[in-house]
Amino acid sequence: MPEGEQESPRLLSASLSSASYLVLLQLFSRICTFILNQILVRLASPQTFGTASIQFELLLSTILFLSREGVRNAVLRSAPGKASQGQLVTNISLLPVVFGIPASCIFSIIYITTSPAATRSQPYFVPSVATYAVAAAIELASEPLYIRAQNDFRFDVRVRAEGIAVFTKSTVTFLVLALGRPEWALLAFAAGQAGYGLATLGIFLIAYGVREHYNFQKVIITNKENKQTTTFDPELLRLARAMTVQSFVKHFLTEGDKFLVSWLSPLEDQGGYAIASNYGSLVARIVFQPIEETSRVFFSKAFALAKDGGEDAHNALQTAGSLLMTLLLASMHLFLLLATFAPPYLPLAMSIFLPQRYLATSAPKILGAYIYYIPIMAFNGILEAFFASACTPADLRKQSTMMAAATAGFVATSVMFSRGLDMGDVGLIWANICNLGARALYAWTFARGYFTKSGFPRAVVPSLAMPPAHVLSVFAVAASVTRWSAHRNADAPLSIMAQKAHLSTGVVCVFACIAACFIFQRARLAEMTRALRSR
């Protein structure tokens, strides 16, 4: 097989390998976070936990997302295997450092000056915010090396860096909180985040070093008989600028619930919202966040490869369509599992993992809404990863118009659900579900149009993302049985021993659903396995 025709399979192989790396990373990261949260909710008050996990994390994500997201997505579009792109990618990867470090100072000052008096009055509030700003700057300093590892498919370096960073953050936060004075609570979270940034930067520096990664260098590009000296690839720079501008709207839509919670809700309710969000998104972050990230890498490189045309482009598009529908089918199974089993077993889980003082907050209702929020996050993440990989600047401008409408819709539905229908903080989750659903539908429409124009009109169709009727029937029966079991055991205490009959019913139903998936979808599973092995 010619070298060009082998490139798409190599990309898929590297992407699958990266997915396994990142799933292991997220598993380790979420286990550490889960254990840390179990400890922290018993050591820190809901007010402190809400400030750190909602407001400080929102400040950090705002600095990082707006500084680097556009550049990250743009450089993935650089053509694989072209040495001339190397220094141009390095140059553009320095932009998050150049603009992000001043941004961390500006956003921190804005946050301090606009925070309510109840928030500012907490001990060591300003030093804690300053420490978070420094932590963001340190993490941004590792961005050129992160992008290098991403483009080299060196996911082992990223896994090592983030794994050690998560362990460092958990250890430092716990030690300061457990051994320090009570008024150091906010500083404990800030010190943990600083440890995360230092560990991340340190591991990347060990892997790649400083040389040639932190200097802007001119590059001479030869185009036919013309030579041009430039610092940035014009196409990548335009794309990075467009994606960065759009990231302002996208960030508000992604984190809009936290913005509104931090402004509207008391600090103790912010703590309940934070713990519910951390627990509620556990499954999505362990499995679907790595899949979203690696699919973005694969789609970006595959479509860059497809620009060359020929048989290689045909193979890349065919593989991309197959992968997209496989991921959407997996998301549909996640939705079925959560909708079937989470509602009848959520009260028992909350009684085990949530301290009594958090049961009095909005956490229980928020966790109930997360049952439907998690699958929507998975669908939207995969579809927007495809969109970000295949779109042109013109497509981005169209999506920005849709994002502006989605922003207005999110604010309107948030007010309607939270205030008009008196749903409180849980109304923000349902507003987010509507918002993500609209965004996912837009990206799905784009994907269908993209493959139709490329000559693959049947590559993206709803039926390929739906399990067969027999599987849906088994899930429906399981949902009825588990809810009947929950009603039958409603008067029993919320403990494992008292609810053992209810738990046993759930275990049997879970195995029945999994068995149905394998039995009635074995032909498709075999087809997908053969396709992956052949590549």
Side-chain angles (χ1 to χ4, degrees), residues 11 116 148 159 240 264 287 316 321 357 370 403 435 471 501:
L11 287 175
R148 168 73 183 275
V159 167
L264 301 176
V287 179
R357 57 183 173 177
Y370 255 89
M403 289 283 196
N435 161 43
V471 172

Side-chain angles (χ1 to χ4, degrees), residues 63-375:
I63 295 170
L64 296 178
F65 190 88
L66 298 183
S67 299
R68 70 191 185 189
E69 189 69 13
V71 172
R72 279 188 176 185
N73 288 333
V75 297
L76 285 176
R77 307 280 280 272
S78 60
K82 292 187 178 180
S84 62
Q85 287 287 99
Q87 186 57 49
L88 294 176
V89 169
T90 298
N91 290 342
I92 201 171
S93 70
L94 285 167
L95 295 181
V97 183
V98 173
F99 294 106
I101 293 177
S104 65
C105 299
I106 295 171
F107 282 119
S108 299
I109 293 171
I110 293 173
Y111 169 60
I112 291 172
T113 55
T114 58
S115 294
T119 303
R120 292 198 307 269
S121 64
Q122 295 178 93
Y124 297 102
F125 173 75
V126 173
S128 299
V129 174
T131 305
Y132 263 87
V134 172
I138 294 171
E139 190 171 345
L140 284 171
S142 67
E143 193 62 18
L145 306 179
Y146 171 96
I147 289 174
R148 168 73 183 275
Q150 197 84 337
N151 277 341
D152 290 348
F153 289 99
R154 288 288 308 278
F155 290 94
D156 58 316
V157 176
R158 177 184 168 186
V159 167
R160 189 161 59 250
E162 294 189 18
I164 293 174
V166 166
F167 179 78
T168 302
K169 175 181 179 179
S170 301
T171 303
V172 171
T173 305
F174 168 72
L175 289 177
V176 177
L177 198 58
L179 303 179
R181 298 202 298 262
E183 58 267 28
W184 292 0
L186 289 180
L187 282 175
F189 289 92
Q193 190 59 48
Y196 181 96
L198 287 169
T200 301
L201 178 60
I203 298 301
F204 275 115
L205 286 175
I206 291 172
Y208 283 109
V210 178
R211 189 178 179 181
E212 299 179 356
H213 295 292
Y214 288 92
N215 294 316
F216 289 106
Q217 295 183 16
K218 296 285 186 179
V219 176
I220 299 176
I221 299 177
T222 302
N223 185 12
K224 295 182 180 179
E225 297 181 355
N226 299 323
K227 288 186 177 182
Q228 179 183 4
T229 302
T230 185
T231 304
F232 302 108
D233 183 305
E235 182 180 351
L236 289 182
L237 187 61
R238 282 194 299 271
L239 196 59
R241 187 187 301 117
M243 287 183 167
T244 299
V245 170
Q246 190 193 66
S247 67
F248 281 82
V249 177
K250 187 174 181 180
H251 180 61
F252 176 78
L253 289 176
T254 302
E255 303 284 5
D257 56 331
K258 291 183 181 178
F259 278 109
L260 294 177
V261 166
S262 64
W263 291 339
L264 301 176
S265 299
L267 285 177
E268 57 270 19
D269 274 352
Q270 291 183 37
Y273 194 94
I275 195 67
S277 298
N278 288 337
Y279 290 166
S281 59
L282 203 60
V283 175
R285 288 177 178 174
I286 289 174
V287 179
F288 284 94
Q289 183 178 335
I291 289 175
E292 175 188 340
E293 292 181 20
T294 53
S295 63
R296 183 183 288 114
V297 173
F298 170 76
F299 289 141
S300 296
K301 299 302 182 185
F303 295 143
L305 196 66
K307 290 180 181 179
D308 297 333
E311 183 65 22
D312 191 42
H314 182 277
N315 292 337
L317 289 170
Q318 192 173 46
T319 304
S322 177
L323 180 62
L324 176 62
M325 297 314 300
T326 299
L327 295 179
L328 293 178
L329 179 63
S331 299
M332 180 58 70
H333 283 85
L334 172 67
F335 169 74
L336 290 173
L337 284 169
L338 287 174
T340 300
F341 296 103
Y345 293 96
L346 188 59
L348 176 60
M350 287 190 296
S351 71
I352 296 172
F353 295 113
L354 282 183
Q356 188 64 36
R357 57 183 173 177
Y358 281 87
L359 292 174
T361 67
S362 58
K365 291 182 179 179
I366 292 170
L367 282 170
Y370 255 89
I371 294 169
Y372 308 98
Y373 186 34
I374 293 170

